[in-house]
Amino acid sequence: VWSLWKEGQTLDIVDSAVSRDSCLTPEVLRCIHIGLLCVQEFATDRPTMSDVAFMLCNESATLPSPKQPAFIFRRPAAGVDSSSTSAGGTSTLGNDVTITTIQGR
């Protein structure tokens, strides 16, 4: 989403079943914009819930530009295995996030 936002292609994330010529397009773009504000890397940059409610209810409210989110998921390159499992039940994903499976004794 972040990459598409930066490229000005935000509507490309919207499901093709939703008409892009719809009168709802500005609302969809506003919701995506607010969502990006909510996942900014630093908590101090994120809006409060009351700010989010205000932004959703007031179309005339000016929204600040979002900063880069804390996590950015990238699609793996074609032909590249994006995940692997190592000994001990740890899976390493292509975005360098580690997930550990916890097992009881």
Side-chain angles (χ1 to χ4, degrees), residues 2-83:
W2 177 248
S3 298
L4 291 172
W5 173 268
K6 286 181 15 181
E7 296 169 6
Q9 303 292 325
T10 311
L11 284 177
D12 287 355
I13 67 166
V14 178
D15 191 307
S16 60
V18 178
S19 173
R20 291 192 182 179
D21 297 328
S22 170
C23 62
L24 297 177
T25 298
E27 291 178 25
V28 169
L29 290 174
R30 188 170 185 83
C31 288
I32 293 169
H33 189 154
I34 294 168
L36 285 170
L37 291 171
C38 292
V39 295
Q40 294 179 103
E41 185 166 6
F42 300 105
T44 55
D45 293 333
R46 298 177 203 148
T48 63
M49 286 307 298
S50 60
D51 290 338
V52 170
F54 179 79
M55 289 185 273
L56 289 171
C57 294
N58 296 291
E59 293 177 15
S60 62
T62 303
L63 303 180
S65 294
K67 297 176 185 172
Q68 182 170 320
F71 298 100
I72 300 174
F73 295 102
R74 294 178 178 88
R75 294 182 186 146
V80 175
D81 183 16
S82 64
S83 65

